Amino acid sequence: MSVGTNGIGKPVSRIDGPAKVTGRAKYAAEFSAPDLAYGFVVSSAVAKGRIKSIDRSAALAVPGVIEVFAHDNRPSLPSSHEKYTDQVAAPGSPFRPLYDGEILFSGQPVALVVAEELEIARFAASLVDIRYETEATVTDLDMRIDQAFEPEKKRAPEWDPPARGDVDSALSRAPTNIRTEYRTPVEHHNPMETFASTAVWENDGRLTVYDKTQGAPNCHEYLCSVFGLAKDKVRVLSPYVGGAFGAGLRPNYQLFMAALAAIGLKRSVRVTLTRQQMFTLGYRPQTLQTLTLGAENDGRLVALKHDAIANTSRFEDYQEPTVVWSGALYPCDHSTVTSRLARFDLFTPCDMRAPGGAVGMYALESAMDELSYAVGVDPLELRLKNYSERDQNYGKPISSKALRDCYLQGAERFGWSKRRPEPRSMREGRELIGYGMATGIWEAFRVPTSARAILAPDGTLEIACATADIGTGTYTILAQIAAEMLGLPLDKVIVKIGDSDLPSAPVEGGSWTAASAGSAVMEACDGLRKELLKRAGAVSNAPLRGVNLADLTWVDGEIRMTSDPSRAMLLSEALLGLNGPITSEVSSAPDEQVLQEYSHYAHSAVFAEVRLDEELGMLRVARVVSAVAAGRILNPKTARSQILGAVVGGIGMALHEETVIDHRYGRFMNHNLAEYHVPVHADVHAIDVIFVDEQEHRLNPLGVKGVGEIGIVGTAAAIANAVFHATGVRVRDLPITIDKRLELRQPTSNHAA
Amino acid sequence: MIDFDYVRANDVGDALSQITKHQAAKFIAGGTNLIDLMKEDVEQPTRLIDITGLPLNEIHETQTGGLKIGALVPNSDLAYDERITKRYPLLSSANLAGASPQLRNMASTGGNLLQRTRCLYFYDTATPCNKRRPGSGCGAAEGFNRMNAILGWSKSCIAVHPSDMCVALSALDAVVNVAGPKGDRAIKSTDFHRLPGDTPEIDTNLARDEIITAIELPSEEFRRHYSYLKIRDRLSYAFALVSVAAALKIEAGAIKSARLALGGVAHKPWRAPDAEQSLEGKQPDRKAFVQAADIILQGAVGFAHNRFKIELARRAIVRALEQAAAGTPQSQSVKVIV
């Protein structure tokens, strides 16, 4: 099976773009149903304890209120936590909404008011009088360090690679040693579309749910399990998703609430969350990371230790790959990486764009920068000196690794050679200028996925797969792959995704969708090719009689013999006389042997320039160059957009994003977009994206690696390193806000500057 | 969000009689702050009186050589009005430093004065706040107080007023015209907002049954030597950590008069006449500016997360005065600080 470059590799605009900008694309809260009722969630005002009483009389007295669901009057629910699990649940006891009166976190949904109108539901929600017995909470990492623990059940054992060598004695022998501590805060997702579910109660007792999710099949399974429904009684759809990046991997509680109310009332119900309630969902956990590096005088690493503590909830052991990269990336004979958890009275964290990688690589790449100054080696040179062709954790070869080209092409584009090595040595007017760089790495996954391709007699091709498009371009690349395979124009391809009735797909995450759903679509189309060749060979005077599939090229609506293009026939001829569509459905899976033998990563090199008014602490990221090696790029336009967005996320991580907790109340306090800062246009300046050429032949037939996450990994470190280069002061606690930057300088004196 | 009803007022008299009749009513103009607060149950008016139909949306010359800005002039119209940009560029600049274009299009001049604090505890009904619920305590004093006050706070409240425009109005000695059941009166902009004291639930000296009709700008314009410098956590669309409105009259190389007002540091725009007087007659140099900064910041006391604001304010004052003296005011479109 081979692919050309007719549809693939072109900077095609999103095929769903016109629907989105004209409003035809409907999101979960935009679907309606006859007699739709509206639910509004009442959130717990306390973080820990128990509900003593619920007085719903005032709420029920409001005209238009239908019901107030809470733990004391809900329909029957399973007690087993296992029933509430899902495909990407963390080990532990999943949260059971409205199950009992126990409060596990601030903002916990404790009641659902259902009314004839949204405004009535919201008003009545403010009248539900809930009394709590409260207990003291812990949400302060410093109070949990002593009790940090290694989780019994691992989410992925490979994230804890074995120690190698003898780190401590190697460190004691190494001529240069640095030991540093880094902190990263809780960050919340805040996609533009808030979470919403419209549960449509069908007359025959089936439930159709429009949900904002990255995995319609995952939510389908969850609903069947929690509410004891037969699989064919439930359908979950998420045709469009207004951003997610991990927030929509697990079923969120609005889905449970909408379904519960619909089942309880035998009526269609919509539940939408407010922006403030978005801060009651999963988040990137807080981390405290300690890095110890030992190196030769020339900068070659000899020993590395990376320990990370991250918070989780009381009820689940959420884990992410924070330290595994430190063990993998650089050659180093003595290495120990460990990760532990701290229990907080908060909701369970969740994956957020490059979970673990974004924070772990911030720490590693900051430490590498610190090492570069300690040994007096240019930061880029230091990375090249410590370049490895093998995965150091497991000693495996890497399926493909063009990181060196990322370093070199990125440095060239950025003008790294103009960097003066000394901190505080570059200045223009009042501004100090800093150049920083960092390495990025992320897993190149492929996971089992099914897809169906249906070719109609009129030459229209329909692609179906349950995966999601969270705004990244899945619709478009799947159409490109299908068009490529059959030599069709893009507008002959219809893509259907985001529907649990379609061939199954895992959650859309982990940067694996292009490789997984893309390969499945490719293989499904290959099935069509075989069938078409059979038909083409059967046509009288067939120019393609007796020809093998491998000898054909599919292009411009024609099937041609590659070695002799004069032997060709129109695709439409092969379809002549066809009464119904041709269908090909496949279950596509990675080659397990390849995964055993090779490690598989996407890489990047990120370069950043910051400019800082030292007296006032005002800082801007003037330029970022992100050079990415991620195998074949299916669509340079949508891929570039992914990197641009991720770099903006990295700027936010470095300078802005932090959800602050008031430990007295165990409560996130800046729960709105005025006070939870993400970069705005004024904070984002030039971003240059390079995709270096990387030939990937093993992981999947497309040769892709996925670009959803690699763009954020390394970006925060590159910016933090640039801040150090500009100022000579290292801030090891993200985000690098103005108050931390101000400490860079002594108080103003009366003397003229 | 509670159930409320909605009525329109036809003229100022009608608005006043309606607000008098209905104790739990509030006026609404742009609604850019009020609606947010209602959604969170921080504000719970049972009636909204829409005043956008009142004839208060024009800017006129005054007999004393100033300008009179109708209370309903949208923030963006004010910011871009030629009379403002030419004669009172400090006001235009401060206006453009605030919010976003969308919000400025909606927000009214009078409403800008009545913005409520962005203190996290004021906004969250699950926490104590004396301003929101008198007697419940101040959540911020021992909580997360990075955005809170360093000047003029009280034991019961450490909130800051969030407006940028009001800082410029204070520096310009603007006057707020109000109408009420007892007739019209004028309140100096410096007296309009109040310090929290023991009654932080009261933001301003505007009575509940009064309405802002206009803002009057006096004839002194500060066309040449001014700057509005806002220091914030991102380069746009964030409330001030510290902001400075600086205006100077310089004659023969010496400062003839000076105005200095701070935002983001207190329950009201912060002025200090002695700091301004200290500049009079001086050379416009760093030494004089540092001294003025020291005077205006006298008595500043911070909390666990906002002590940095004191030094930040000092530096921002010096820079803003330097910008004003040099005639190179801070640009609000190019965010680079010069």
Side-chain angles (χ1 to χ4, degrees), chain A residues 122-123 430 613 615 656 662 664-665 667 671 678 683 738-739 746 748 750, chain B residues 1-2 39 121 124 128 139 146 231 234-235 286 290 311 315 319 322:
Chain A
R122 189 167 190 163
F123 167 47
R430 285 187 188 266
D613 183 302
E615 192 176 37
H656 305 120
D662 189 320
R664 298 170 302 171
Y665 312 125
R667 189 167 172 90
H671 43 61
V678 298
D683 297 300
I738 200 164
D739 38 335
Q746 295 303 308
T748 38
N750 288 354
Chain B
M1 189 174 203
I2 66 164
K39 284 182 180 172
Y121 298 85
D124 189 338
R146 190 165 172 277
I231 309 294
R234 57 186 169 191
L235 294 175
R286 193 175 178 91
V290 169
E311 178 58 24
R315 297 178 191 184
R319 183 69 63 85
E322 285 177 342

mmCIF file of all heavy atoms in Angstrom, chain A residues 122-123 430 613 615 656 662 664-665 667 671 678 683 738-739 746 748 750, chain B residues 1-2 39 121 124 128 139 146 231 234-235 286 290 311 315 319 322:
data_model
loop_
_atom_site.group_PDB
_atom_site.id
_atom_site.type_symbol
_atom_site.label_atom_id
_atom_site.label_comp_id
_atom_site.label_asym_id
_atom_site.label_seq_id
_atom_site.Cartn_x
_atom_site.Cartn_y
_atom_site.Cartn_z
ATOM 1 N N ARG A 122 -31.408 28.485 36.390
ATOM 2 C CA ARG A 122 -30.283 29.173 37.024
ATOM 3 C C ARG A 122 -30.747 29.939 38.265
ATOM 4 O O ARG A 122 -30.074 29.945 39.294
ATOM 5 C CB ARG A 122 -29.625 30.105 36.014
ATOM 6 C CG ARG A 122 -28.334 30.679 36.529
ATOM 7 C CD ARG A 122 -27.518 31.346 35.431
ATOM 8 N NE ARG A 122 -26.201 31.655 35.967
ATOM 9 C CZ ARG A 122 -25.142 31.944 35.245
ATOM 10 N NH1 ARG A 122 -25.228 31.961 33.940
ATOM 11 N NH2 ARG A 122 -23.991 32.225 35.815
ATOM 12 N N PHE A 123 -31.880 30.575 38.141
ATOM 13 C CA PHE A 123 -32.433 31.309 39.290
ATOM 14 C C PHE A 123 -32.753 30.333 40.422
ATOM 15 O O PHE A 123 -32.342 30.522 41.572
ATOM 16 C CB PHE A 123 -33.680 32.081 38.844
ATOM 17 C CG PHE A 123 -34.509 32.625 39.979
ATOM 18 C CD1 PHE A 123 -33.906 33.311 41.038
ATOM 19 C CD2 PHE A 123 -35.887 32.478 39.988
ATOM 20 C CE1 PHE A 123 -34.676 33.830 42.081
ATOM 21 C CE2 PHE A 123 -36.660 32.988 41.023
ATOM 22 C CZ PHE A 123 -36.043 33.660 42.077
ATOM 23 N N ARG A 430 16.081 50.681 26.572
ATOM 24 C CA ARG A 430 15.874 50.291 27.970
ATOM 25 C C ARG A 430 15.719 48.790 28.143
ATOM 26 O O ARG A 430 15.633 48.304 29.265
ATOM 27 C CB ARG A 430 14.577 50.935 28.486
ATOM 28 C CG ARG A 430 14.662 52.406 28.783
ATOM 29 C CD ARG A 430 13.361 52.805 29.434
ATOM 30 N NE ARG A 430 13.228 54.246 29.612
ATOM 31 C CZ ARG A 430 13.566 54.873 30.730
ATOM 32 N NH1 ARG A 430 14.074 54.215 31.745
ATOM 33 N NH2 ARG A 430 13.390 56.182 30.825
ATOM 34 N N ASP A 613 11.756 45.102 30.034
ATOM 35 C CA ASP A 613 12.066 46.373 30.673
ATOM 36 C C ASP A 613 12.412 46.056 32.119
ATOM 37 O O ASP A 613 11.538 45.702 32.908
ATOM 38 C CB ASP A 613 10.852 47.304 30.600
ATOM 39 C CG ASP A 613 11.154 48.670 31.202
ATOM 40 O OD1 ASP A 613 11.527 48.725 32.401
ATOM 41 O OD2 ASP A 613 11.030 49.664 30.495
ATOM 42 N N GLU A 615 13.410 47.692 34.735
ATOM 43 C CA GLU A 615 12.940 48.497 35.850
ATOM 44 C C GLU A 615 11.489 48.172 36.202
ATOM 45 O O GLU A 615 11.114 48.091 37.366
ATOM 46 C CB GLU A 615 13.062 49.975 35.492
ATOM 47 C CG GLU A 615 12.863 50.870 36.684
ATOM 48 C CD GLU A 615 13.080 52.342 36.335
ATOM 49 O OE1 GLU A 615 12.704 52.762 35.218
ATOM 50 O OE2 GLU A 615 13.625 53.044 37.175
ATOM 51 N N HIS A 656 1.917 33.331 32.138
ATOM 52 C CA HIS A 656 0.593 33.764 32.576
ATOM 53 C C HIS A 656 -0.218 32.762 33.387
ATOM 54 O O HIS A 656 -0.844 33.137 34.368
ATOM 55 C CB HIS A 656 -0.255 34.143 31.346
ATOM 56 C CG HIS A 656 0.378 35.170 30.470
ATOM 57 N ND1 HIS A 656 0.690 34.946 29.155
ATOM 58 C CD2 HIS A 656 0.797 36.423 30.733
ATOM 59 C CE1 HIS A 656 1.257 36.020 28.641
ATOM 60 N NE2 HIS A 656 1.337 36.929 29.576
ATOM 61 N N ASP A 662 -6.976 28.979 47.333
ATOM 62 C CA ASP A 662 -6.999 29.452 48.716
ATOM 63 C C ASP A 662 -7.054 28.204 49.594
ATOM 64 O O ASP A 662 -8.071 27.507 49.633
ATOM 65 C CB ASP A 662 -8.212 30.359 48.968
ATOM 66 C CG ASP A 662 -8.130 31.025 50.335
ATOM 67 O OD1 ASP A 662 -7.702 30.338 51.290
ATOM 68 O OD2 ASP A 662 -8.493 32.212 50.450
ATOM 69 N N ARG A 664 -7.271 27.742 52.642
ATOM 70 C CA ARG A 664 -8.244 27.729 53.745
ATOM 71 C C ARG A 664 -9.561 27.111 53.299
ATOM 72 O O ARG A 664 -10.271 26.482 54.080
ATOM 73 C CB ARG A 664 -8.510 29.157 54.246
ATOM 74 C CG ARG A 664 -7.283 29.840 54.810
ATOM 75 C CD ARG A 664 -7.570 31.320 55.058
ATOM 76 N NE ARG A 664 -7.983 32.001 53.834
ATOM 77 C CZ ARG A 664 -8.455 33.242 53.801
ATOM 78 N NH1 ARG A 664 -8.609 33.920 54.916
ATOM 79 N NH2 ARG A 664 -8.781 33.793 52.648
ATOM 80 N N TYR A 665 -9.887 27.345 52.037
ATOM 81 C CA TYR A 665 -11.170 26.856 51.531
ATOM 82 C C TYR A 665 -11.004 25.705 50.540
ATOM 83 O O TYR A 665 -11.998 25.184 50.036
ATOM 84 C CB TYR A 665 -11.938 27.987 50.838
ATOM 85 C CG TYR A 665 -12.000 29.268 51.630
ATOM 86 C CD1 TYR A 665 -11.568 30.470 51.081
ATOM 87 C CD2 TYR A 665 -12.487 29.277 52.937
ATOM 88 C CE1 TYR A 665 -11.614 31.647 51.814
ATOM 89 C CE2 TYR A 665 -12.525 30.451 53.681
ATOM 90 C CZ TYR A 665 -12.086 31.629 53.110
ATOM 91 O OH TYR A 665 -12.123 32.783 53.833
ATOM 92 N N ARG A 667 -10.103 25.926 47.555
ATOM 93 C CA ARG A 667 -10.913 26.409 46.438
ATOM 94 C C ARG A 667 -10.053 27.202 45.447
ATOM 95 O O ARG A 667 -9.231 28.021 45.857
ATOM 96 C CB ARG A 667 -12.006 27.313 47.006
ATOM 97 C CG ARG A 667 -13.072 27.738 46.017
ATOM 98 C CD ARG A 667 -14.241 28.357 46.772
ATOM 99 N NE ARG A 667 -15.232 28.950 45.895
ATOM 100 C CZ ARG A 667 -16.274 28.286 45.396
ATOM 101 N NH1 ARG A 667 -16.457 27.009 45.689
ATOM 102 N NH2 ARG A 667 -17.152 28.905 44.615
ATOM 103 N N HIS A 671 -11.398 31.890 39.191
ATOM 104 C CA HIS A 671 -12.140 31.022 38.281
ATOM 105 C C HIS A 671 -12.950 31.802 37.253
ATOM 106 O O HIS A 671 -14.163 31.641 37.146
ATOM 107 C CB HIS A 671 -13.026 30.059 39.072
ATOM 108 C CG HIS A 671 -13.752 30.702 40.221
ATOM 109 N ND1 HIS A 671 -14.649 31.711 40.058
ATOM 110 C CD2 HIS A 671 -13.667 30.487 41.555
ATOM 111 C CE1 HIS A 671 -15.107 32.079 41.234
ATOM 112 N NE2 HIS A 671 -14.521 31.360 42.157
ATOM 113 N N VAL A 678 -4.609 33.920 30.063
ATOM 114 C CA VAL A 678 -3.949 33.257 28.939
ATOM 115 C C VAL A 678 -3.415 34.379 28.059
ATOM 116 O O VAL A 678 -3.856 35.518 28.188
ATOM 117 C CB VAL A 678 -4.923 32.350 28.153
ATOM 118 C CG1 VAL A 678 -5.446 31.236 29.044
ATOM 119 C CG2 VAL A 678 -6.093 33.153 27.594
ATOM 120 N N ASP A 683 0.300 39.737 23.518
ATOM 121 C CA ASP A 683 1.386 38.955 24.103
ATOM 122 C C ASP A 683 2.053 38.024 23.095
ATOM 123 O O ASP A 683 3.042 37.382 23.404
ATOM 124 C CB ASP A 683 0.841 38.092 25.262
ATOM 125 C CG ASP A 683 0.294 38.948 26.390
ATOM 126 O OD1 ASP A 683 1.075 39.732 26.944
ATOM 127 O OD2 ASP A 683 -0.907 38.840 26.693
ATOM 128 N N ILE A 738 5.298 39.213 36.881
ATOM 129 C CA ILE A 738 6.037 40.465 37.061
ATOM 130 C C ILE A 738 6.644 40.575 38.463
ATOM 131 O O ILE A 738 7.742 41.089 38.635
ATOM 132 C CB ILE A 738 5.087 41.645 36.752
ATOM 133 C CG1 ILE A 738 5.870 42.901 36.451
ATOM 134 C CG2 ILE A 738 4.082 41.871 37.864
ATOM 135 C CD1 ILE A 738 5.024 43.956 35.770
ATOM 136 N N ASP A 739 5.946 40.065 39.483
ATOM 137 C CA ASP A 739 6.482 40.175 40.835
ATOM 138 C C ASP A 739 7.753 39.349 40.987
ATOM 139 O O ASP A 739 8.652 39.717 41.727
ATOM 140 C CB ASP A 739 5.437 39.755 41.882
ATOM 141 C CG ASP A 739 4.603 38.574 41.438
ATOM 142 O OD1 ASP A 739 4.468 38.368 40.231
ATOM 143 O OD2 ASP A 739 4.101 37.856 42.317
ATOM 144 N N GLN A 746 17.521 45.650 42.288
ATOM 145 C CA GLN A 746 17.432 46.326 43.576
ATOM 146 C C GLN A 746 16.442 47.487 43.468
ATOM 147 O O GLN A 746 16.188 48.000 42.390
ATOM 148 C CB GLN A 746 18.809 46.869 43.977
ATOM 149 C CG GLN A 746 19.823 45.763 44.208
ATOM 150 C CD GLN A 746 19.344 44.783 45.263
ATOM 151 O OE1 GLN A 746 18.960 45.170 46.353
ATOM 152 N NE2 GLN A 746 19.326 43.491 44.928
ATOM 153 N N THR A 748 14.766 51.110 43.369
ATOM 154 C CA THR A 748 15.266 52.323 42.727
ATOM 155 C C THR A 748 15.904 53.246 43.758
ATOM 156 O O THR A 748 15.438 53.351 44.882
ATOM 157 C CB THR A 748 14.128 53.130 42.078
ATOM 158 O OG1 THR A 748 13.007 53.057 42.923
ATOM 159 C CG2 THR A 748 13.804 52.641 40.713
ATOM 160 N N ASN A 750 17.670 57.218 44.505
ATOM 161 C CA ASN A 750 17.458 58.590 44.076
ATOM 162 C C ASN A 750 18.454 59.030 43.006
ATOM 163 O O ASN A 750 18.365 60.113 42.479
ATOM 164 C CB ASN A 750 17.547 59.539 45.276
ATOM 165 C CG ASN A 750 16.324 59.385 46.155
ATOM 166 O OD1 ASN A 750 15.393 58.662 45.799
ATOM 167 N ND2 ASN A 750 16.314 60.046 47.282
ATOM 168 N N MET B 1 -28.282 33.514 39.445
ATOM 169 C CA MET B 1 -28.881 34.746 38.915
ATOM 170 C C MET B 1 -30.355 34.767 39.302
ATOM 171 O O MET B 1 -31.063 33.799 39.079
ATOM 172 C CB MET B 1 -28.748 34.759 37.392
ATOM 173 C CG MET B 1 -29.132 36.062 36.750
ATOM 174 S SD MET B 1 -28.743 35.987 34.979
ATOM 175 C CE MET B 1 -28.594 37.700 34.580
ATOM 176 N N ILE B 2 -30.772 35.866 39.904
ATOM 177 C CA ILE B 2 -32.149 35.894 40.385
ATOM 178 C C ILE B 2 -33.106 36.379 39.287
ATOM 179 O O ILE B 2 -32.686 36.918 38.261
ATOM 180 C CB ILE B 2 -32.299 36.788 41.637
ATOM 181 C CG1 ILE B 2 -32.030 38.250 41.300
ATOM 182 C CG2 ILE B 2 -31.382 36.311 42.749
ATOM 183 C CD1 ILE B 2 -32.548 39.174 42.378
ATOM 184 N N LYS B 39 -24.952 37.331 37.240
ATOM 185 C CA LYS B 39 -24.843 35.899 36.944
ATOM 186 C C LYS B 39 -24.239 35.146 38.117
ATOM 187 O O LYS B 39 -24.565 33.993 38.356
ATOM 188 C CB LYS B 39 -23.967 35.681 35.705
ATOM 189 C CG LYS B 39 -24.645 36.005 34.399
ATOM 190 C CD LYS B 39 -23.667 35.699 33.275
ATOM 191 C CE LYS B 39 -24.243 35.986 31.920
ATOM 192 N NZ LYS B 39 -23.203 35.868 30.885
ATOM 193 N N TYR B 121 -12.529 37.592 46.133
ATOM 194 C CA TYR B 121 -13.459 37.184 47.198
ATOM 195 C C TYR B 121 -14.802 37.891 47.034
ATOM 196 O O TYR B 121 -15.839 37.338 47.376
ATOM 197 C CB TYR B 121 -12.816 37.425 48.569
ATOM 198 C CG TYR B 121 -11.575 36.568 48.697
ATOM 199 C CD1 TYR B 121 -10.348 37.008 48.198
ATOM 200 C CD2 TYR B 121 -11.646 35.285 49.222
ATOM 201 C CE1 TYR B 121 -9.218 36.205 48.250
ATOM 202 C CE2 TYR B 121 -10.524 34.465 49.281
ATOM 203 C CZ TYR B 121 -9.315 34.933 48.789
ATOM 204 O OH TYR B 121 -8.216 34.125 48.825
ATOM 205 N N ASP B 124 -16.791 35.769 44.567
ATOM 206 C CA ASP B 124 -17.081 34.364 44.849
ATOM 207 C C ASP B 124 -17.965 34.267 46.086
ATOM 208 O O ASP B 124 -17.504 34.434 47.215
ATOM 209 C CB ASP B 124 -15.773 33.603 45.059
ATOM 210 C CG ASP B 124 -15.986 32.099 45.142
ATOM 211 O OD1 ASP B 124 -17.125 31.667 45.461
ATOM 212 O OD2 ASP B 124 -15.035 31.351 44.891
ATOM 213 N N PRO B 128 -16.027 34.639 52.258
ATOM 214 C CA PRO B 128 -16.446 35.858 52.946
ATOM 215 C C PRO B 128 -16.008 37.115 52.204
ATOM 216 O O PRO B 128 -15.000 37.103 51.503
ATOM 217 C CB PRO B 128 -15.732 35.759 54.304
ATOM 218 C CG PRO B 128 -14.597 34.833 54.097
ATOM 219 C CD PRO B 128 -14.972 33.914 52.983
ATOM 220 N N GLY B 139 -12.096 38.085 52.968
ATOM 221 C CA GLY B 139 -11.404 36.868 52.545
ATOM 222 C C GLY B 139 -9.999 37.146 52.045
ATOM 223 O O GLY B 139 -9.114 36.296 52.127
ATOM 224 N N ARG B 146 -2.939 39.256 45.734
ATOM 225 C CA ARG B 146 -1.948 39.836 44.828
ATOM 226 C C ARG B 146 -2.459 41.095 44.128
ATOM 227 O O ARG B 146 -1.691 42.009 43.838
ATOM 228 C CB ARG B 146 -1.575 38.772 43.793
ATOM 229 C CG ARG B 146 -0.409 39.134 42.937
ATOM 230 C CD ARG B 146 0.115 37.900 42.210
ATOM 231 N NE ARG B 146 1.118 38.291 41.241
ATOM 232 C CZ ARG B 146 0.813 38.730 40.032
ATOM 233 N NH1 ARG B 146 -0.443 38.783 39.654
ATOM 234 N NH2 ARG B 146 1.757 39.093 39.191
ATOM 235 N N ILE B 231 0.675 48.968 34.360
ATOM 236 C CA ILE B 231 1.487 47.762 34.488
ATOM 237 C C ILE B 231 0.553 46.614 34.866
ATOM 238 O O ILE B 231 -0.188 46.695 35.838
ATOM 239 C CB ILE B 231 2.564 47.925 35.585
ATOM 240 C CG1 ILE B 231 3.367 49.212 35.368
ATOM 241 C CG2 ILE B 231 3.470 46.708 35.627
ATOM 242 C CD1 ILE B 231 4.200 49.240 34.134
ATOM 243 N N ARG B 234 -0.469 40.836 31.708
ATOM 244 C CA ARG B 234 -0.238 40.569 30.293
ATOM 245 C C ARG B 234 -0.348 41.906 29.589
ATOM 246 O O ARG B 234 -0.715 42.903 30.212
ATOM 247 C CB ARG B 234 -1.187 39.504 29.742
ATOM 248 C CG ARG B 234 -2.638 39.817 29.906
ATOM 249 C CD ARG B 234 -3.539 38.647 29.473
ATOM 250 N NE ARG B 234 -4.904 38.922 29.906
ATOM 251 C CZ ARG B 234 -5.892 38.037 29.880
ATOM 252 N NH1 ARG B 234 -5.695 36.819 29.427
ATOM 253 N NH2 ARG B 234 -7.099 38.365 30.297
ATOM 254 N N LEU B 235 -0.074 41.945 28.302
ATOM 255 C CA LEU B 235 0.130 43.244 27.682
ATOM 256 C C LEU B 235 -1.165 43.930 27.276
ATOM 257 O O LEU B 235 -1.161 45.084 26.867
ATOM 258 C CB LEU B 235 1.078 43.110 26.485
ATOM 259 C CG LEU B 235 2.502 42.709 26.912
ATOM 260 C CD1 LEU B 235 3.386 42.467 25.707
ATOM 261 C CD2 LEU B 235 3.130 43.751 27.816
ATOM 262 N N ARG B 286 14.792 62.864 37.236
ATOM 263 C CA ARG B 286 14.545 61.625 37.960
ATOM 264 C C ARG B 286 14.528 61.838 39.471
ATOM 265 O O ARG B 286 13.718 61.239 40.188
ATOM 266 C CB ARG B 286 15.606 60.594 37.567
ATOM 267 C CG ARG B 286 15.271 59.186 38.019
ATOM 268 C CD ARG B 286 16.295 58.189 37.489
ATOM 269 N NE ARG B 286 15.981 56.855 37.974
ATOM 270 C CZ ARG B 286 15.205 55.986 37.332
ATOM 271 N NH1 ARG B 286 14.668 56.314 36.171
ATOM 272 N NH2 ARG B 286 14.964 54.799 37.838
ATOM 273 N N VAL B 290 11.480 60.667 41.739
ATOM 274 C CA VAL B 290 11.610 59.657 42.797
ATOM 275 C C VAL B 290 11.074 60.217 44.112
ATOM 276 O O VAL B 290 10.367 59.530 44.867
ATOM 277 C CB VAL B 290 13.077 59.199 42.937
ATOM 278 C CG1 VAL B 290 13.271 58.352 44.207
ATOM 279 C CG2 VAL B 290 13.504 58.402 41.713
ATOM 280 N N GLU B 311 7.059 48.781 45.402
ATOM 281 C CA GLU B 311 8.245 49.117 44.611
ATOM 282 C C GLU B 311 7.869 49.272 43.126
ATOM 283 O O GLU B 311 8.385 50.157 42.442
ATOM 284 C CB GLU B 311 9.308 48.023 44.801
ATOM 285 C CG GLU B 311 10.579 48.220 44.003
ATOM 286 C CD GLU B 311 11.288 49.540 44.298
ATOM 287 O OE1 GLU B 311 11.085 50.097 45.396
ATOM 288 O OE2 GLU B 311 12.019 50.014 43.414
ATOM 289 N N ARG B 315 8.497 52.666 40.782
ATOM 290 C CA ARG B 315 9.189 52.702 39.478
ATOM 291 C C ARG B 315 8.269 53.177 38.362
ATOM 292 O O ARG B 315 8.679 53.893 37.458
ATOM 293 C CB ARG B 315 9.710 51.303 39.145
ATOM 294 C CG ARG B 315 10.745 50.814 40.136
ATOM 295 C CD ARG B 315 11.189 49.411 39.777
ATOM 296 N NE ARG B 315 11.991 48.830 40.848
ATOM 297 C CZ ARG B 315 12.573 47.646 40.752
ATOM 298 N NH1 ARG B 315 12.452 46.928 39.650
ATOM 299 N NH2 ARG B 315 13.282 47.177 41.756
ATOM 300 N N ARG B 319 8.724 56.396 35.870
ATOM 301 C CA ARG B 319 8.728 56.244 34.415
ATOM 302 C C ARG B 319 7.625 57.081 33.758
ATOM 303 O O ARG B 319 7.855 57.728 32.736
ATOM 304 C CB ARG B 319 8.564 54.776 34.030
ATOM 305 C CG ARG B 319 8.628 54.507 32.517
ATOM 306 C CD ARG B 319 10.008 54.727 31.920
ATOM 307 N NE ARG B 319 10.942 53.793 32.498
ATOM 308 C CZ ARG B 319 11.127 52.538 32.052
ATOM 309 N NH1 ARG B 319 10.469 52.110 31.005
ATOM 310 N NH2 ARG B 319 11.989 51.739 32.634
ATOM 311 N N GLU B 322 8.658 60.594 33.709
ATOM 312 C CA GLU B 322 9.691 60.775 32.678
ATOM 313 C C GLU B 322 9.058 60.840 31.288
ATOM 314 O O GLU B 322 9.423 61.681 30.457
ATOM 315 C CB GLU B 322 10.706 59.620 32.719
ATOM 316 C CG GLU B 322 11.673 59.707 33.884
ATOM 317 C CD GLU B 322 12.634 58.520 33.966
ATOM 318 O OE1 GLU B 322 12.342 57.455 33.342
ATOM 319 O OE2 GLU B 322 13.652 58.638 34.654
#
